[in-house]
Amino acid sequence: MQTVTTDTVPGQEIVESLGLVRGNTVEARNIGRDITQSLRNITGGELKGYSELLTRARDEALARMEAQAEEMGADAVVNVRLETSEIIDGGAEVIAYGTAVRLG
């Protein structure tokens, strides 16, 4: 499955647009990570625990989007976008979405 942020796949012709596909996940921080990240916030630097959490969430959202596209018979997803929003205090949703297409 090819996923691109552009409206075309380089070197390929889109022969059919199958529609919108998306994948999302909601991830929450945990108290242990909050304590260690709060200490890092005092001393400065990257909050690696949170970076890793969001990386896993993005990967999961993309995988779910690709799975939906495969179920539709797509070869690729174009115009892929990622968004993150806070759902509750300490919890965020990551959504990946794009257009499933068949290539010729």
Side-chain angles (χ1 to χ4, degrees):
M1 175 68 54
Q2 295 185 58
T3 58
V4 295
T5 58
T6 56
D7 9 344
T8 61
V9 177
Q12 299 285 327
E13 178 186 357
I14 294 173
V15 296
E16 185 178 6
S17 176
L18 302 173
L20 179 70
V21 288
R22 61 136 182 95
N24 69 311
T25 185
V26 176
E27 298 286 335
R29 302 181 320 214
N30 68 46
I31 192 69
R33 181 174 286 137
D34 283 351
I35 293 169
T36 59
Q37 297 307 291
S38 293
L39 294 173
R40 171 67 70 177
N41 198 28
I42 293 169
T43 61
E46 180 184 5
L47 302 175
K48 290 183 182 180
Y50 293 147
S51 293
E52 291 166 2
L53 176 73
L54 285 173
T55 296
R56 282 194 310 274
R58 283 187 205 98
D59 290 345
E60 182 63 33
L62 285 166
R64 290 177 180 180
M65 178 197 68
E66 290 171 356
Q68 183 182 18
E70 286 174 0
E71 288 174 10
M72 296 170 72
D75 300 311
V77 182
V78 297
N79 289 319
V80 173
R81 301 292 183 261
L82 288 160
E83 292 186 22
T84 304
S85 60
E86 185 178 32
I87 300 296
I88 59 169
D89 187 33
E93 176 190 36
V94 176
I95 185 167
Y97 61 94
T99 303
V101 297
R102 284 200 183 111
L103 303 173

